[in-house]
Amino acid sequence: MRPRPSFAGAAIEVSDLARSVAFHRLWLPMLGFHRVWAGPDRVMWSRGYDHFVMRQAKDGVSYGPGALWLAVSAESRAQVDLVHLELREAGAQILQPPQELDYFAPGYYSVGFRDPDGVPIEVVHRWDELPDLADAEQVRVPGHGVTLGGYLFKPQTGKPPYPALILLHGFAGHAHTMTGLARAASANGYAALALSLRGWLGSEGENDQGLRQPLDVLAAIDWLAKRPLVDRERIGLVGASMGGQVALLTAAHRPPVRAVASFYAPTDLARWREANPFIRDYLDDLCGPEGLPVRSPILRVTQIDVPVLLIHGDNDENVPVAQTLAMEEALRAHGKEVEVFIVQSGTHFFSEQQNALARRKLFDFLRRHLNRS
């Protein structure tokens, strides 16, 4: 059994942000941390779902110990609740009663309080592995030198052998993130493999933003094609954000798939870096300038030989819609089959109504290209 990490997250206030970043770059990457977000007054480092934030102190303002934040791991949600009960009875200042904050990490459940010096502290329970689901088989899938975790959903309609989909999540996501779409696919007659990409919950390895992850997906396609209920001639790839980028890169390897759908994916990482200053440090640290082209699907369009559906919101603040429009233009220029669906007023996170429209378009596309020949 793996020991539970005691560190969940921290924040520190610094007098000179640039100097501190230069200093901490000497040792944080050794422990697996990468800069994943940077703004004018703060930088976030991440090791998977562990967070370390540095914040620039304001001139003439001293926050004292209240400028710090520390999060430590608990063994269970029950333990988080017990900590809350004990501290409340002791009269501690409770900043946040136990609640879910799963935008920090999968299954994140924490209580927040202040110590006698005013330092904010969280006690956190997070998922260590993908949780069991009553309506899906939890599977271990061989990747390219790593083992990937995921869920296999069986079709709820139709007759075997069934068409099948591999569903790929975005940055900081995991297979559980894709269960809503997987259930919709199952209801529409597809076998659906919701897969955690390397480096994310349930899978081995480290996230690499599309370098080796497409090779993992190639291995997963081979694994899925061998399932008795799956029609190996009718497999499709669907990915969101980074997962869409990985799906398109996988398609460029000419795997035995019939169609690829990509939601709001970065397709030209050099131009994405120019357009979004908040992800520059992440791309610089993880990829370097020389590592951007190999991760850019737009430079691989000549190798994509299956129909492609591109879906994007026109107000996406993270991955500009220009990424999809440029990919469409490149595919068409090389005589490839491509469809584009632009979601009006859509950001990088669709509303329920926008998501329903996008899924309707997706399943129409899949029916046309994964039907029986």
Side-chain angles (χ1 to χ4, degrees), residues 48-330:
Y49 303 104
D50 297 338
H51 297 105
F52 186 24
V53 178
M54 298 170 196
R55 186 175 68 190
Q56 172 68 54
K58 296 180 180 179
D59 292 340
V61 178
S62 175
Y63 290 97
L68 304 175
W69 166 72
L70 176 67
V72 295
S73 296
E75 291 295 323
S76 65
R77 290 192 171 202
Q79 194 172 61
V80 172
D81 293 335
L82 286 174
V83 168
H84 174 236
L85 179 62
E86 184 74 18
L87 293 176
R88 188 180 62 185
E89 291 181 352
Q93 182 184 359
I94 304 299
L95 299 175
Q96 166 215 304
Q99 62 180 276
E100 290 189 12
L101 299 168
D102 59 5
Y103 49 84
F104 280 123
Y108 195 102
Y109 179 80
S110 74
V111 59
F113 55 92
R114 289 191 187 275
D115 79 352
D117 288 316
V119 176
I121 297 175
E122 268 188 287
V123 174
V124 179
H125 177 258
R126 304 179 298 176
W127 293 343
D128 286 329
E129 295 290 347
L130 292 169
D132 290 333
L133 295 177
D135 58 342
E137 176 189 359
Q138 190 165 160
V139 295
R140 304 292 290 171
V141 178
H144 183 70
V146 296
T147 300
L148 309 174
Y151 301 105
L152 183 61
F153 289 78
K154 296 182 178 179
Q156 301 302 307
T157 186
K159 296 180 180 180
Y162 298 97
L165 304 175
I166 295 180
L167 309 179
L168 306 174
H169 61 84
F171 181 87
H174 42 84
H176 197 273
T177 310
M178 305 302 288
T179 55
L181 181 56
R183 290 188 176 103
S186 172
N188 278 274
Y190 297 91
L193 173 61
L195 195 65
S196 284
L197 294 169
R198 69 162 62 205
W200 300 108
L201 186 70
S203 292
E204 297 173 345
E206 295 184 4
N207 169 59
D208 60 19
Q209 190 67 43
L211 183 62
R212 291 173 295 273
Q213 288 162 334
L215 302 180
D216 297 330
V217 178
L218 290 175
I221 293 169
D222 183 62
W223 179 90
L224 183 61
K226 294 175 181 177
R227 299 308 97 192
L229 78 165
V230 169
D231 184 344
R232 62 182 303 122
E233 301 298 325
R234 296 190 291 154
I235 297 176
L237 299 178
V238 181
S241 195
M242 182 178 70
Q245 172 201 350
V246 171
L248 292 167
L249 289 168
T250 303
H253 287 273
R254 296 189 171 99
V257 299
R258 292 272 294 274
V260 176
S262 171
F263 285 67
Y264 36 81
T267 61
D268 183 335
L269 271 64
R271 289 189 176 181
W272 184 34
R273 183 187 178 279
E274 294 174 4
N276 185 349
F278 299 116
I279 54 88
R280 288 175 188 167
D281 287 340
Y282 165 68
L283 293 176
D284 289 349
D285 285 358
L286 184 66
C287 311
E290 70 285 352
L292 300 180
V294 72
R295 293 171 168 89
S296 297
I298 199 167
L299 301 180
R300 306 287 298 278
V301 293
T302 60
Q303 298 161 277
I304 297 176
D305 293 331
V306 295
V308 173
L309 172 64
L310 303 172
I311 296 177
H312 216 120
D314 62 359
N315 284 339
D316 194 326
E317 73 293 345
N318 186 356
V319 180
V321 69
Q323 291 280 305
T324 275
L325 299 178
M327 186 69 180
E328 176 195 17
E329 182 179 356

